[in-house]
Amino acid sequence: MGQHIIDAHAHLWLQQDTVVDGQPIRQLEPNRSRSLFFGEERQMLPPYMTDGQNTAERFLSNMDYAQVSAAVITQEFIDGLQNDYLQQVQQRYPDRFFTFGMPELRQAGFCQEARQLIARGFKGIKVPAARLPQQFLNDEMMQMMHLMEQQGIILGIELKDGDAQVGQVEDIVSECPRLKVAIGHFGMVTRPGWLSQIRLARHEHVYIESGGITWLFNDEFYPFPSAIRAIREAADEVGWHKLMWGSDYPRTITAITYRMSYDFVSKSSELSDDEKRLFLADNAKQFFGFGELKELPYIKNMSE
């Protein structure tokens, strides 16, 4: 298509060793790319990542190959807190990555921790509300939202299915109208009531990113025609200028290649070039404040 591409939802970690809801999540053993995930063995990384390290350098190699100029690195409890590593990544590759910090939101005192993360240079704070109690918005959480609005910090948030937590985001936006918000996982698009999350983007500073959309439509598989229809339906609700592409790298590329996670969009005959440009790059560039993007030429495969 001859355009830049920005990934608005990806993950990085040096080591995955954490506990969520009392269940361990960790690399099974050295030289394996599989993890123990809530008591089950799962292919967490592509099988060639045998040391369990999902590093920025490996991702940059994938990005360069797939012609993705920049990426937004989010966080999730199942990865463990990755603030120290992501601060290094941000400092080392400021033109390629925007990284979210994440305080330990499951313990009191997280607002002060968020203040410290902002002081360390993070320009986004992640709240994986889908893994918090359904009523996640308490006094300290709202205090953190006000802090973020005052400091110009972006909120990245993923919600439980349907409208279970939508009202709380409405409350946040009402209290903090200048807070920039990115709703993840395309509103959990394959679940009932997903459009209630999409409609949050009718607020001026709320956007939607599609991290995990290929996972959610995995049963259908590439080229994900139902995902294309869902993207169009969301655009009809809130406008193309509010939607951003995200891959949910690296977990999604255990099933497809990194390039496939966006080229089902770029190759679609159902979308116009302008719609693709907004969805794949321009909206994320403006929302996350990326500067000049790296030019990445297409490199032919040996098999071509």
Side-chain angles (χ1 to χ4, degrees):
M1 289 173 57
Q3 67 160 52
H4 292 106
I5 298 172
I6 296 174
D7 186 343
H9 185 122
H11 298 265
L12 295 175
W13 62 77
L14 280 184
Q15 183 181 19
Q16 194 174 43
D17 187 2
T18 190
V19 175
V20 178
D21 296 331
Q23 296 289 319
I25 300 171
R26 55 179 170 77
Q27 188 181 0
L28 276 172
E29 58 188 68
N31 304 317
R32 294 290 297 277
S33 56
R34 295 176 182 169
S35 295
L36 182 68
F37 183 77
F38 295 131
E40 296 181 357
E41 185 173 344
R42 293 289 184 91
Q43 191 73 42
M44 187 72 73
L45 292 169
Y48 51 80
M49 292 189 187
T50 55
D51 58 4
Q53 294 192 345
N54 172 36
T55 65
E57 289 73 25
R58 284 174 172 166
F59 190 25
L60 283 168
S61 181
N62 267 290
M63 289 167 63
D64 289 352
Y65 173 70
Q67 297 175 279
V68 174
S69 296
V72 177
I73 307 303
T74 188
Q75 295 204 53
E76 230 272 29
F77 290 139
I78 64 172
D79 300 337
L81 297 181
Q82 299 292 331
N83 297 314
D84 291 345
Y85 180 54
L86 295 188
Q87 183 179 15
Q88 295 173 26
V89 169
Q90 186 70 75
Q91 293 169 346
R92 195 174 302 153
Y93 307 106
D95 298 333
R96 303 299 299 275
F97 294 118
F98 176 105
T99 62
F100 276 96
M102 186 170 70
E104 180 43 272
L105 299 160
R106 297 163 293 187
Q107 298 178 7
F110 60 80
C111 185
Q112 180 58 29
E113 189 180 350
R115 191 183 299 275
Q116 294 167 356
L117 289 171
I118 294 167
R120 289 168 60 178
F122 285 102
K123 294 189 167 42
I125 295 292
K126 176 64 183 292
V127 176
R131 296 197 188 277
L132 293 173
Q134 182 164 318
Q135 182 61 41
F136 72 91
L137 184 58
N138 56 25
D139 289 345
E140 187 174 12
M141 185 70 73
M142 188 63 86
Q143 182 185 354
M144 187 178 79
M145 298 301 162
H146 281 290
L147 169 68
M148 292 166 62
E149 183 190 34
Q150 293 161 8
Q151 298 290 326
I153 303 301
I154 294 174
L155 168 65
I157 190 167
E158 286 132 20
L159 305 176
K160 295 184 186 296
D161 295 357
D163 64 358
Q165 295 174 317
V166 165
Q168 294 170 79
V169 179
E170 292 278 6
D171 290 343
I172 291 168
V173 174
S174 176
E175 284 267 331
C176 307
R178 292 178 290 108
L179 178 67
K180 295 174 72 173
V181 182
I183 307 288
H185 291 166
F186 218 67
M188 293 302 290
V189 57
T190 54
R191 312 294 199 253
W194 68 281
L195 283 172
S196 65
Q197 295 189 32
I198 300 299
R199 293 185 185 112
L200 288 166
R202 292 175 175 174
H203 294 283
E204 181 180 2
H205 298 298
V206 180
Y207 284 59
I208 307 293
E209 47 92 341
S210 76
I213 196 168
T214 61
W215 150 61
L216 289 162
F217 285 101
N218 184 64
D219 289 347
E220 181 179 85
F221 206 63
Y222 188 89
F224 309 107
S226 296
I228 294 293
R229 288 193 291 272
I231 292 166
R232 290 205 65 90
E233 188 172 0
D236 289 342
E237 292 282 341
V238 299
W240 280 101
H241 65 294
K242 286 300 192 81
L243 307 179
M244 303 180 288
W245 168 69
S247 69
D248 212 2
Y249 173 100
R251 284 180 274 269
T252 48
I253 65 164
T254 58
I256 58 175
T257 68
Y258 186 47
R259 183 184 292 274
M260 288 167 71
S261 69
Y262 77 80
D263 76 359
F264 78 95
V265 173
S266 63
K267 291 179 178 178
S268 173
S269 61
E270 304 297 315
L271 308 178
S272 72
D273 286 347
D274 284 344
E275 291 164 349
K276 294 172 184 178
R277 177 176 49 79
L278 289 169
F279 184 66
L280 292 173
D282 288 6
N283 296 336
K285 184 176 190 293
Q286 174 269 323
F287 184 82
F288 290 104
F290 284 104
E292 187 169 350
L293 297 172
K294 184 174 183 178
E295 299 286 344
L296 294 166
Y298 179 73
I299 306 299
K300 290 183 67 174
N301 291 320
M302 283 294 292
S303 57
E304 288 183 76

